Amino acid sequence: MLYISENIQKVKEEIEEVRKRSLTGEPVELITVTKTFDVPIIEQAIDAGIKIIGENKVQELTSKIEQLNDKVIYHMIGNLQSNKVKYIYQDVALIHSLDRLSLAKEIEKRGKSTDDIVHCLVQVNIGKEKTKGGLYREEVLPFVEKMMEFPHIQIDGIMTVAPNTEDIKYLRSCFRNMVSLKEEIEREKFDRINMQYLSMGMSHDFEIAIEEGANMVRIGSKIFGNRDYSK
Ligand SMILES: *Cc1c(COP(=O)(O)O)cnc(C)c1O
């Protein structure tokens, strides 16, 4: 199954090409999204050089962590129920989906209990879509400020899942809106808040996302092919 390593190579080259012409020229971190794909396939991707995998369901994530251990770094990228924080907070390097106070309280409680700092991105629903998680743009700054009260949460940036649209102009405006939000938060110079990551861009839109300033992209189907959710 050579195709996986070929796809990874191709994705990496495309990322690099876009990065060079992007507004910031910053390095871009690739998060390989492995949801629905089995461990042997993920192992091929690891052999092909990927360093970080993203999963969106707690049970699937913990099962993969059990099997793959420290062969790779794990990110939680999907909606996270508060009662499941305990299963993952010590094993993931980054949670991309912090989007509400109740979840922050639970993460803080768990982090405090074991003296761990939990790294998180604040998820933003930049297109204000009913079906999507994340805070609305105008809610983000006060939320980030509130996080100062939680010493076991480290905010490392913001994340979004952009609207799935053919309207490239609108899509680009959404990504720009994320960049300006990141800059607004940076200007506040909050203690302990380190706006280093802007996680946006997936298989179908990562090029535009990087052009506008994403430095973390989450790519699944472009590497592994289409997902089969019926399994
Ligand atoms: C599935 C998923 C991705 C990857 O989507 P692809 O279109 O397969 O690249 C990225 N981010 C999140 C939050 C996801 O759930």
Side-chain angles (χ1 to χ4, degrees), residues 21 24 47 53 68 75 81 87 98 118 130 151 189 198 205:
R21 62 164 196 264
T24 63
D47 289 342
I53 68 171
L68 291 163
H75 284 191
Q81 284 172 265
Y87 302 121
L98 175 56
V118 185
K130 292 258 176 322
K189 299 207 184 322
L198 183 48
D205 62 8

Side-chain angles (χ1 to χ4, degrees), residues 62 71 80 161:
T62 53
K71 284 188 191 159
L80 179 56
V161 178

Side-chain angles (χ1 to χ4, degrees), residues 2-177:
L2 197 59
Y3 75 95
I4 288 178
S5 80
E6 278 174 3
N7 289 354
I8 290 170
Q9 201 48 44
K10 195 155 162 268
V11 164
K12 282 186 175 169
E13 282 166 13
E14 284 173 14
I15 289 173
E16 182 54 18
E17 209 169 287
V18 190
R19 183 197 67 80
K20 283 193 223 144
R21 62 164 196 264
S22 70
L23 290 171
T24 63
E26 267 185 85
V28 177
E29 195 100 66
L30 167 64
I31 314 304
T32 302
V33 177
T34 48
K35 64 189 185 200
T36 76
F37 292 99
D38 294 334
V39 162
I41 297 192
I42 302 173
E43 281 175 326
Q44 286 184 37
I46 295 170
D47 289 342
I50 63 134
K51 303 281 182 240
I52 308 172
I53 68 171
E55 286 281 339
N56 71 336
K57 293 211 168 74
V58 167
Q59 203 182 349
E60 193 174 340
L61 176 60
T62 53
S63 148
K64 285 172 181 172
I65 292 172
E66 259 173 42
Q67 299 173 74
L68 291 163
N69 295 304
D70 56 4
K71 284 188 191 159
V72 74
I73 290 167
Y74 304 91
H75 284 191
M76 176 63 189
I77 61 171
N79 174 50
L80 179 56
Q81 284 172 265
S82 297
N83 62 2
K84 294 192 174 158
V85 168
K86 57 178 177 286
Y87 302 121
I88 60 151
Y89 77 100
Q90 290 185 294
D91 298 319
V92 296
L94 190 61
I95 295 171
H96 290 230
S97 44
L98 175 56
D99 64 355
R100 57 195 192 277
L101 192 56
S102 55
L103 178 59
K105 283 180 177 163
E106 178 64 21
I107 295 172
E108 171 62 25
K109 185 178 113 186
R110 294 291 165 185
K112 189 173 179 196
S113 73
T114 49
D115 201 18
D116 286 296
I117 305 282
V118 185
H119 290 257
C120 299
L121 306 180
V122 176
Q123 184 172 351
V124 187
N125 186 351
I126 201 68
K128 292 199 166 172
E129 294 169 281
K130 292 258 176 322
T131 53
K132 281 194 180 139
L135 294 165
Y136 288 169
R137 191 196 192 284
E138 61 272 20
E139 298 171 321
V140 175
L141 196 59
F143 183 81
V144 168
E145 187 166 15
K146 181 85 183 158
M147 291 305 105
M148 309 301 296
E149 296 168 22
F150 301 120
H152 297 85
I153 294 179
Q154 167 72 54
I155 301 294
D156 286 338
I158 51 178
M159 173 274 213
T160 198
V161 178
N164 189 356
T165 170
E166 299 296 311
D167 185 347
I168 303 297
K169 251 175 106 176
Y170 175 60
L171 191 55
R172 209 175 269 286
S173 78
C174 287
F175 289 138
R176 278 197 191 152
N177 213 345

